Amino acid sequence: MRRALVQNVWAIAFWGLLLWVGWPWIWEFVWGVEVTPAERGRRVAEQSGCFTCHGPEGSGGVPNPGSEEGEVPGFTGGTPMMYAKSEQELREYILDGAPARKRNDPHYREKIRGWLLVMPAYRDVLSQREVDDLIAYIRAASALLVPEDPLAAKGQEIALRAGCFHCHGPMGARGPSNPGSFKGYIPGWWGNDFRELVRDEAELRQWIEEGNIDRLRDHWIARRYVEGQKVYMPAYKNVLSEEEIQAVMAYVRWVNRGEWQRTPLPLGQ
């Protein structure tokens, strides 16, 4: 009897610990939570202290006395093209603190001695997948991936100006937490979340114009979550023109198709 009780206590403790440790993954699996590579990369950046120097979400760094720019560069606004000639060099920045061509340059080595802050090397800290995810986040945040289609390219500019990326994440990679919503976060445009919420062009237009769609408003369960979420999709019907709405639709569709994920960043300055 005593032995069985002890075994039960250990079993409860074991499964309780497993549930506590694995809850984020269990929650994501059960609820179909979508975590894009860029969102994983954002988490890597946050957990690795990248935003401490490169600024919130990589939006611009802290002052760096002694450096030529006077501050640590960010990831956004096309900034990576000023420092890397290829995505391989971005990897070398992460893994070794600088690309090989710079590390092997005695003038560069002498120059960084006068910097207050120098990029650390993460080779012994991050796994290959974590580096891949971090690169995915930098790609999305860089604003260097632009559609060839002029209408979609204009839609990207409008989405930036309208603040769409603040909620939906860089390039719609997935947004921050949204208490009360069905999955607990603001959905992105990359994958299944988008396809579940947008069945056709009419629904995409209605999301942009009205901030909601009839299919969810008419469903008693979905309506409960839509009305209970803390962050609402705004209605742009009286803010954007018809041409601007068409442009944003073209851009969002371009993002969701995903061909850009195989396109190298235009670096090389």
Side-chain angles (χ1 to χ4, degrees):
M1 180 79 173
R2 179 183 177 86
R3 183 178 179 183
L5 179 62
V6 171
Q7 289 177 338
N8 288 337
V9 169
W10 276 109
I12 293 172
F14 171 78
W15 288 109
L17 178 62
L18 186 64
L19 180 62
W20 179 70
V21 173
W23 174 247
W25 294 274
I26 295 172
W27 181 77
E28 290 177 0
F29 175 78
V30 172
W31 290 102
V33 171
E34 189 164 60
V35 183
T36 65
E39 170 59 17
R40 292 197 305 264
R42 187 199 64 78
R43 295 178 186 180
V44 171
E46 184 175 50
Q47 294 166 0
S48 302
C50 301
F51 299 148
T52 303
C53 290
H54 292 284
E57 309 299 302
S59 60
V62 300
N64 189 12
S67 66
E68 295 173 347
E69 296 80 9
E71 65 179 29
V72 178
F75 308 151
T76 60
T79 304
M81 70 184 298
M82 299 171 61
Y83 297 91
K85 292 182 178 293
S86 65
E87 290 188 25
Q88 176 58 33
E89 287 202 347
L90 289 179
R91 292 179 181 274
E92 292 176 16
Y93 267 114
I94 296 167
L95 294 172
D96 303 312
R101 65 178 174 87
K102 290 191 173 184
R103 299 196 315 273
N104 296 332
D105 183 348
H107 297 291
Y108 177 78
R109 295 199 300 269
E110 179 64 28
K111 182 170 59 175
I112 64 175
R113 289 179 183 174
W115 296 4
L116 184 65
L117 297 171
V118 178
M119 174 70 186
Y122 285 89
R123 183 172 291 276
D124 297 328
V125 178
L126 300 179
S127 68
Q128 179 175 335
R129 175 175 172 174
E130 288 174 323
V131 174
D132 290 344
D133 291 340
L134 189 48
I135 291 293
Y137 178 72
I138 294 172
R139 282 170 53 85
S142 71
L144 290 172
L145 293 167
V146 180
E148 293 183 2
D149 173 36
L151 183 63
K154 182 177 180 180
Q156 183 180 40
E157 296 175 1
I158 296 167
L160 178 63
R161 188 174 70 244
C164 302
F165 302 132
H166 287 288
C167 285
H168 292 286
M171 285 191 71
R174 203 194 94 167
S177 298
N178 185 11
S181 63
F182 181 66
K183 293 188 178 181
Y185 58 88
I186 299 174
W189 308 331
W190 287 28
N192 291 328
D193 279 349
F194 177 84
R195 288 185 280 272
E196 289 172 1
L197 293 169
V198 180
R199 298 277 178 86
D200 51 37
E201 291 296 293
E203 286 195 346
L204 178 56
R205 173 180 289 275
Q206 194 172 27
W207 273 117
I208 297 171
E209 291 184 340
E210 302 177 23
N212 203 340
I213 57 174
D214 293 336
R215 178 164 55 89
L216 298 188
R217 278 192 288 240
D218 295 339
H219 193 287
W220 69 274
I221 296 178
R223 184 171 65 248
R224 175 188 171 198
Y225 284 101
V226 170
E227 293 175 352
Q229 63 188 348
K230 299 305 179 185
V231 182
Y232 289 85
M233 172 72 184
Y236 287 92
K237 185 173 184 178
N238 297 321
V239 177
L240 301 179
S241 67
E242 170 60 24
E243 182 181 3
E244 289 174 325
I245 290 173
Q246 291 181 10
V248 172
M249 290 174 64
Y251 175 68
V252 172
R253 285 295 189 193
W254 175 80
V255 170
N256 187 255
R257 285 195 300 272
E259 299 97 339
W260 56 271
Q261 297 189 53
R262 297 183 293 274
T263 303
L265 284 179
L267 302 170
Q269 296 297 317

